[in-house]
Amino acid sequence: AYTADRLETQLADQTRRFLADEHRGMRVDGKILWVSKIFDWYAGDFVPGAGRVLHRLTAEELVQILSVYLDRRRLEGLDLGKLRLQFLDYDWTVNAQGR
């Protein structure tokens, strides 16, 4: 359960776990950075100062934003300027569980 005194730590941990999941969160295949479709839908929420303005994220920008949650080994050797951003299909079945 989430608790007020540990909320920030718990949310950061969940973010790390989500990004470590190569099928739902994030993975790199060659020169393609695959990330959850959530980062496309809510791009303005992830870019400081963007607000609700329509913003197209770049791979370099997203990795910089998420770098505090990523294992440094996942970033080694990446040429961020050459990565192309693609979005993973979103798995809607998780919303249907328990129905």
Side-chain angles (χ1 to χ4, degrees), residues 18 24-26 34-40 87-88 90:
F18 176 72
R24 295 183 317 131
M26 181 182 129
W34 290 92
V35 295
S36 171
K37 189 74 173 158
I38 291 170
F39 294 109
D40 185 28
F87 299 99
L88 298 164
Y90 189 79

Side-chain angles (χ1 to χ4, degrees), residues 14-79:
Q14 289 301 311
T15 301
R16 283 185 196 91
R17 292 176 67 188
F18 176 72
L19 292 172
D21 183 333
E22 294 187 349
H23 300 287
R24 295 183 317 131
M26 181 182 129
R27 76 171 177 266
V28 177
D29 289 333
K31 294 186 182 216
I32 300 174
L33 173 65
W34 290 92
V35 295
S36 171
K37 189 74 173 158
I38 291 170
F39 294 109
D40 185 28
W41 293 330
Y42 299 101
D45 293 342
F46 295 100
V47 178
R52 291 284 174 210
V53 174
L54 180 61
H55 186 83
R56 285 309 226 192
L57 287 169
T58 66
E60 183 174 13
E61 189 175 39
L62 188 57
V63 169
Q64 288 174 355
I65 292 165
L66 298 177
S67 65
V68 296
Y69 303 106
L70 299 175
D71 182 333
R72 297 286 175 230
R73 291 174 290 187
R74 290 183 79 185
L75 300 177
E76 289 175 3
L78 292 180
D79 185 349

